[in-house]
Amino acid sequence: MDPAPKLTLNNGVLMDQAGYGTYKVPAQDAAPLVNAALSLGYRHIDTAALYGNEEGVGQAVRNFTEAGHVVREDLFVTSKVWNTDHGYDAALRAFETSMQKLGFDYLDLYLIHWPCPDRGLFVETYKALEKLYSEGRIRAIGVSNFNREHLEELLDAASVVPAVNQVELHPWLPQRDLRSFHEANGIRTVAWSPLGRGALLEDPVVREIAGSVGRSPAQVLLRWHVQAGHTVIPKASSEERMAENLDIFSFVLEPAHVAALDGMDSGRRTGSNPSEVN
Ligand code: NDP
């Protein structure tokens, strides 16, 4: 299996283009599942305070490095500040809680999970991330679920351009305008629910392409993402699926297949519209 390429963030930090997502991974399963992911070759793990599994994620990462399989610098771990911890002081406290749970000396990427525009605190929250970044506690900072208008407001006030915006993105919701804005501003796009929470695996267009290229529907979708330059963080509960989801770098989708997947844009979301989450 070809390894995931490393993409360079706007501050020079490297991030694997494929990671393992842990939303809905129960706390007690997090350590064994993340250990399985790392053993299969994943080097990028996505968690969040909300997921309630930071202890297990941290334990698996620490065990894997302490066993000498890799050095900590080879791994990339993301966590996120939850909506109820917006505000400068609250975000600093939330970071310390996450770090205690993860058991790390530093974090690779810390994101504001949702902009919560009605709270009006995302700029202040981001200032806390900038402070932690300037102190070297975090290697890169960014945001999640920011629409273009939220990013514009943030960029007006920020000293550090977010390295990443992690958003819902898949062929039903390709986020073309937002992706162009990211490209123009040096922000990497990370796709959450890259398989549409699994619903896209049943789509007839995806299944037909999978049949014709001899790959699984999940691999076709993830390959579409990486060919477009997105980073993907699929979640899976079995080693077989984890391995399948990482084995996407040794084949290429031809232009007609990419065009067919591009043509699936329907605006359908599996999650909430960020403007409505507070
Ligand atoms: P995904 O699009 O990754 O889909 C996950 C679903 O697809 C699960 O039901 C899984 O089943 C199934 N699946 C995965 N791989 C395969 C496969 N090869 N064959 C068949 N079925 C498969 O959805 P998520 O919502 O989990 O998103 C991925 C990650 O993105 C999250 O885990 C989280 O880290 C992040 N995220 C971030 C959000 C944010 O607000 N920033 C919001 C939502 C997600 P099973 O588990 O049973 O194997």
Side-chain angles (χ1 to χ4, degrees):
M1 183 185 349
D2 289 0
K6 291 186 187 298
L7 301 183
T8 307
L9 304 181
N10 59 16
N11 64 353
V13 166
L14 301 176
M15 174 181 74
D16 270 39
Q17 199 179 6
Y20 177 61
T22 68
Y23 181 45
K24 301 233 165 117
V25 169
Q28 69 276 12
D29 297 342
L33 284 174
V34 171
N35 178 61
L38 295 170
S39 302
L40 286 165
Y42 284 87
R43 295 292 175 260
H44 171 175
I45 309 291
D46 184 78
T47 183
L50 174 77
Y51 304 168
N53 58 25
E54 285 170 309
E55 276 117 334
V57 169
Q59 194 192 336
V61 167
R62 284 183 280 108
N63 288 350
F64 200 71
T65 53
E66 280 159 20
H69 299 306
V70 291
V71 291
R72 172 68 182 85
E73 292 68 32
D74 289 337
L75 302 181
F76 187 97
V77 181
T78 304
S79 192
K80 314 184 191 90
V81 56
W82 185 238
N83 303 351
T84 46
D85 291 316
H86 275 219
Y88 189 81
D89 292 331
L92 292 179
R93 281 196 299 273
F95 176 74
E96 296 307 335
T97 303
S98 282
M99 290 300 276
Q100 211 167 14
K101 290 183 174 168
L102 289 162
F104 292 166
D105 299 330
Y106 68 87
L107 185 63
D108 298 276
L109 179 64
Y110 198 43
L111 307 178
I112 300 179
H113 206 142
W114 293 85
C116 303
D118 289 358
R119 288 178 187 242
L121 289 172
F122 65 72
V123 168
E124 217 187 291
T125 306
Y126 194 75
K127 292 284 168 198
L129 272 57
E130 289 184 331
K131 175 183 190 282
L132 294 163
Y133 176 66
S134 71
E135 292 170 351
R137 308 281 314 278
I138 316 173
R139 294 175 68 224
I141 57 176
V143 294
S144 175
N145 296 303
F146 274 47
N147 289 342
R148 186 184 177 133
E149 68 268 22
H150 309 130
L151 277 176
E152 281 170 342
E153 186 180 335
L154 184 68
L155 289 174
D156 276 347
S159 322
V160 179
V161 175
V164 156
N165 187 15
Q166 183 185 120
V167 293
E168 179 175 355
L169 173 52
H170 42 66
W172 286 333
L173 188 74
Q175 304 264 28
R176 291 200 177 91
D177 180 54
L178 189 59
R179 279 161 52 203
S180 313
F181 188 80
H182 290 170
E183 271 163 39
N185 287 280
I187 300 168
R188 286 277 180 204
T189 303
V190 177
W192 67 249
S193 294
L195 308 173
R197 298 228 155 115
L200 268 159
L201 301 170
E202 301 305 323
D203 186 281
V205 175
V206 176
R207 296 192 77 83
E208 194 186 319
I209 296 171
S212 87
V213 300
R215 292 280 175 166
S216 72
Q219 288 175 319
V220 165
L221 286 163
L222 295 169
R223 184 67 211 174
W224 172 83
H225 281 284
V226 299
Q227 274 182 225
H230 318 154
T231 296
V232 289
I233 46 170
K235 177 256 181 185
S237 307
S238 72
E239 290 194 31
E240 192 188 353
R241 286 179 175 178
M242 284 183 205
E244 182 182 315
N245 294 348
L246 194 57
D247 187 11
I248 54 171
F249 297 103
S250 53
F251 74 105
V252 176
L253 291 175
E254 62 184 59
H257 291 148
V258 172
L261 293 159
D262 285 345
M264 288 169 59
D265 181 1
S266 64
R268 176 173 162 189
R269 290 181 183 272
T270 65
S272 305
N273 185 327
S275 295
E276 292 161 9
V277 173
N278 282 289

